[in-house]
Amino acid sequence: MIPLIFGITLITFTVIHLTHRDLVGRETEPKETATYGDAVIEGTIGEPSTLIPMLAGDSASHSVAGMIFNGIVKYHTDLSVIGDLAESWTISSDGMVIVFRLKKGVKWADGVEFTADDVMFGYKTIIDEKTPTPYKEDYMQVKKFEVLDRYTFRVTYKKPFAPALTSWGNLVVLPKHLLEGKDITKSDFGRNPIGTGPYKLKKWVSGQEVVLDSNRSYFDGRPYIDRYIYRVIPDPATLFLELQAGGIDMMGLTPIQYTKQTDTDFFRKNFQKFRYPAFSYTYMGFNLRHPWFKDKRVRQAIAHAIDKSEIIDVVLFGLGSPATGPYVPNTWPYNPDVKKYEFDPGKAKRLLKEAGWEDTDGDGIIEKDGKPFQFTILTNMGNRLRINTATIIQWRLAKVGIKVEIRLLEWSTLINEFIDKRRFEAVILGWSIGLDPDQYDIWHSGKTREKEFNFVSYSNPLVDTLLEKGRRTFDIEERKKAYYKIQEILADDLPYVFLYVPDAIPIVHSRVKGIKPSPIGISYNLPKWYVPEKLQRYRIEP
């Protein structure tokens, strides 16, 4: 799985049924022949933590690493699975054995050939108990990994495993010749990676930028854009000013920037905007070990005290929809009939009273056993949507007698010092979710250790059983039953208040051609983007 904004990506064989609610931004029909050259500068509020995919739990790291590394397989624009480093594969009739045949002639950026031994090395690394990765579980399902020859490997599973094929993304692709015998957590490879991908790292200046140069020997064809730069600018307002001033070419807009601030002749002439449903959601998660939140009536009361429609209107300017669980609307595992928490402050107060929380001293704050109900919501600096969401929740909960403080933390500090160490009461974060519905790593009770994704410490034996059932069958209807039931249980247990599913709303300078919007976004074909020679701004020396 890969967080949105926590930055995780969960990575069946079945196509998701999407409704194109608002796929805005037409494919640019090239009027000129695609040409090499120029640079594209993307503005981002988050800096990568590491460029080793299996160690990264944030979206900034995966975004950059995705330009440097390939997977064995990847998703096509129609949501089918296609080869990336794999030329082809065969799956046994029982789904238990996959034989992958790799493309020949693929080379690491240092010129060494990529082979099945590299995949074997990556597989052994990710399952090693010393490797602190939240993605280990999918690979622990493998009973046997065999290298059949230089370009062929076979994986045999212990039991049927529905996400088997799609799990072979870029997490286990590592250069054996550079990392064998080393501790990858202490190696400088995370800051100086060597991949097989369309771009290679030129330099990384902490807090400022990550600069990538095109891999001119890339097996799938040299990228047209010679240089891709990530500029790290933590403040979205400053980021937007840089866009206007020409300091960056591309960024993700905020809703107010999309609807109002870019609705001008200048932006219509110089930029192209896109809007499409994101595979992500934003939530408020509770630390279920905290005494305030052990009673689900309290969690349900908080849900009734929050007006999701208000958040979508005020924070998102209508560019999103309410979230009711861990799947997004119009996808096959989404259950539209789960319990909803309508905005009802009166019901919130009644539930809180049932749980023993009342305002007995008339100070406007409810208390229990002499202790006032007050807690702190943590979220990350620079994410104005989350900050504004927290502010509205703070105001609404005050109406039912709960005092809320908001604390903003720099991203790496929030994750490493508070989330990983369980030093929080509540958090507002988001997940980017993959196309397979398996969310074992987030909801299973065995995934609560440091650096793992069930950091709210959720535990429900029936959910554990259903998660196991959902990943052990290839029957789409049986999987659907399992995930529908999981959503019903989560809607009642409410370890998160599921808040909203945002629209993705990127903007790119109009000189960049070849962008083709799809259900998987716009960056999937980035190596094919180009700038006509007469519009190029930067000269990049090889």
Side-chain angles (χ1 to χ4, degrees):
M1 185 173 179
I2 298 185
L4 176 141
I5 315 183
F6 191 133
I8 295 188
T9 293
L10 289 175
I11 303 243
T12 41
F13 302 95
T14 304
V15 172
I16 292 181
H17 303 294
L18 279 182
T19 297
H20 291 267
R21 170 160 50 95
D22 250 318
L23 188 57
V24 180
R26 296 189 303 274
E27 173 182 340
T28 303
E29 293 294 340
K31 296 180 180 179
E32 302 94 349
T33 301
T35 51
Y36 296 105
D38 210 12
V40 168
I41 305 173
E42 178 179 347
T44 176
I45 63 172
E47 180 175 10
S49 57
T50 176
L51 295 181
I52 300 176
M54 70 174 65
L55 300 183
D58 60 286
S59 55
S61 294
H62 281 282
S63 178
V64 179
M67 302 275 275
I68 297 171
F69 293 93
N70 295 92
I72 305 300
V73 298
K74 62 182 178 180
Y75 283 106
H76 190 41
T77 54
D78 64 1
L79 307 181
S80 62
V81 181
I82 61 175
D84 193 359
L85 290 168
E87 182 71 51
S88 62
W89 58 87
T90 55
I91 302 174
S92 63
S93 59
D94 62 2
M96 301 275 281
V97 181
I98 308 176
V99 177
F100 289 98
R101 285 169 290 279
L102 299 175
K103 294 175 180 175
K104 297 179 180 178
V106 176
K107 293 184 178 180
W108 296 99
D110 62 1
V112 175
E113 188 178 28
F114 165 77
T115 72
D117 286 332
D118 293 310
V119 188
M120 166 73 94
F121 172 75
Y123 161 74
K124 287 184 174 179
T125 300
I126 202 168
I127 66 170
D128 191 321
E129 62 180 12
K130 297 178 182 178
T131 303
T133 173
Y135 309 108
K136 192 186 302 288
E137 184 64 31
D138 283 0
Y139 305 95
M140 297 299 291
Q141 305 307 310
V142 175
K143 178 181 179 181
K144 184 188 294 185
F145 186 114
E146 302 167 276
V147 173
L148 303 184
D149 61 42
R150 194 167 177 81
Y151 307 106
T152 312
F153 69 93
R154 178 170 58 205
V155 287
T156 304
Y157 285 82
K158 303 173 185 176
K159 302 176 183 178
F161 184 54
L165 179 61
T166 55
S167 71
W168 294 95
N170 68 353
L171 292 173
V172 297
V173 178
L174 290 175
K176 178 181 178 180
H177 68 284
L178 294 177
L179 291 172
E180 188 172 26
K182 296 181 179 179
D183 181 344
I184 65 169
T185 63
K186 297 177 182 177
S187 166
D188 68 349
F189 191 80
R191 295 281 305 194
N192 297 284
I194 297 294
T196 60
Y199 286 85
K200 52 188 179 181
L201 183 71
K202 180 176 177 63
K203 67 175 179 177
W204 178 353
V205 182
S206 294
Q208 296 182 35
E209 64 180 9
V210 179
V211 180
L212 307 177
D213 277 354
S214 67
N215 179 357
R216 302 195 177 198
S217 300
Y218 183 46
F219 70 88
D220 199 30
R222 172 185 165 185
Y224 289 110
I225 302 295
D226 280 347
R227 180 165 291 171
Y228 200 92
I229 302 170
Y230 293 87
R231 280 193 63 194
V232 181
I233 304 173
D235 177 52
T238 304
L239 202 60
F240 188 66
L241 291 174
E242 285 290 329
L243 185 75
Q244 289 176 290
I248 62 174
D249 302 305
M250 176 180 174
M251 66 177 283
L253 296 173
T254 65
I256 191 171
Q257 289 167 350
Y258 181 92
T259 56
K260 298 184 182 301
Q261 294 174 342
T262 56
D263 189 23
T264 66
D265 289 341
F266 170 78
F267 279 100
R268 281 189 286 271
K269 178 181 178 182
N270 293 288
F271 290 91
Q272 43 195 325
K273 296 194 298 184
F274 304 90
R275 177 186 174 189
Y276 47 89
F279 282 96
S280 64
Y281 65 88
T282 295
Y283 63 90
M284 181 167 75
F286 303 104
N287 185 338
L288 299 178
R289 296 177 181 174
H290 191 282
W292 280 195
F293 303 120
K294 288 183 176 180
D295 190 330
K296 75 178 180 181
R297 291 173 296 182
V298 170
R299 304 193 296 270
Q300 293 175 346
I302 289 174
H304 279 298
I306 295 170
D307 187 346
K308 294 182 187 178
S309 297
E310 177 181 48
I311 293 172
I312 291 167
D313 290 342
V314 174
V315 177
L316 299 184
F317 286 73
L319 301 178
S321 58
T324 59
Y327 301 107
V328 300
N330 302 312
T331 60
W332 69 262
Y334 174 75
N335 184 347
D337 300 319
V338 299
K339 181 178 181 180
K340 308 292 194 299
Y341 289 85
E342 303 299 334
F343 175 55
D344 189 340
K347 188 170 185 178
K349 291 178 180 179
R350 291 193 296 274
L351 284 167
L352 288 167
K353 187 173 181 179
E354 285 178 21
W357 292 95
E358 293 187 83
D359 180 12
T360 58
D361 57 10
D363 66 351
I365 301 175
I366 57 175
E367 62 270 343
K368 182 179 180 180
D369 300 329
K371 296 180 180 179
F373 199 149
Q374 56 187 34
F375 69 94
T376 299
I377 295 174
L378 303 184
T379 195
N380 55 302
M381 293 177 179
N383 193 311
R384 182 51 55 184
L385 300 186
R386 293 181 187 169
I387 296 168
N388 290 346
T389 296
T391 301
I392 291 175
I393 290 174
Q394 178 187 50
W395 179 67
R396 282 296 179 188
L397 293 187
K399 300 290 186 182
V400 298
I402 299 174
K403 183 178 180 180
V404 173
E405 301 290 339
I406 300 169
R407 185 176 180 188
L408 308 180
L409 294 165
E410 185 271 329
W411 178 253
S412 62
T413 300
L414 172 63
I415 300 305
N416 296 327
E417 300 301 324
F418 291 86
I419 300 299
D420 287 346
K421 292 180 169 52
R422 312 305 189 247
R423 295 170 51 206
F424 68 92
E425 295 162 328
V427 295
I428 292 180
L429 290 171
W431 287 111
S432 284
I433 57 176
L435 301 186
D436 188 274
D438 180 33
Q439 294 192 10
Y440 188 99
D441 288 337
I442 294 179
W443 301 113
H444 195 276
S445 61
K447 292 297 176 180
T448 59
R449 292 173 297 183
E450 186 171 338
K451 292 294 181 185
E452 293 185 324
F453 291 152
N454 185 1
F455 48 81
V456 298
S457 303
Y458 178 64
S459 178
N460 183 305
L462 181 53
V463 169
D464 286 353
T465 299
L466 290 165
L467 286 166
E468 186 71 14
K469 182 178 180 181
R471 64 190 346 214
R472 296 302 175 199
T473 178
F474 300 107
D475 185 315
I476 188 68
E477 290 304 319
E478 288 302 309
R479 296 194 82 196
K480 192 172 182 179
K481 289 177 185 176
Y483 296 121
Y484 266 43
K485 185 61 177 178
I486 287 171
Q487 288 166 83
E488 291 172 7
I489 297 169
L490 291 176
D492 185 61
D493 284 349
L494 220 65
Y496 294 173
V497 176
F498 298 95
L499 296 170
Y500 57 80
V501 176
D503 286 344
I505 42 179
I507 188 170
V508 186
H509 198 278
S510 60
R511 79 179 194 280
V512 181
K513 311 299 182 184
I515 300 174
K516 300 179 180 180
S518 81
I520 57 174
I522 63 171
S523 61
Y524 69 94
N525 75 330
L526 199 148
K528 305 301 183 186
W529 294 6
Y530 67 95
V531 178
E533 189 171 3
K534 64 182 179 181
L535 299 178
Q536 293 184 9
R537 289 182 172 180
Y538 307 98
R539 182 175 297 276
I540 310 300
E541 297 299 329

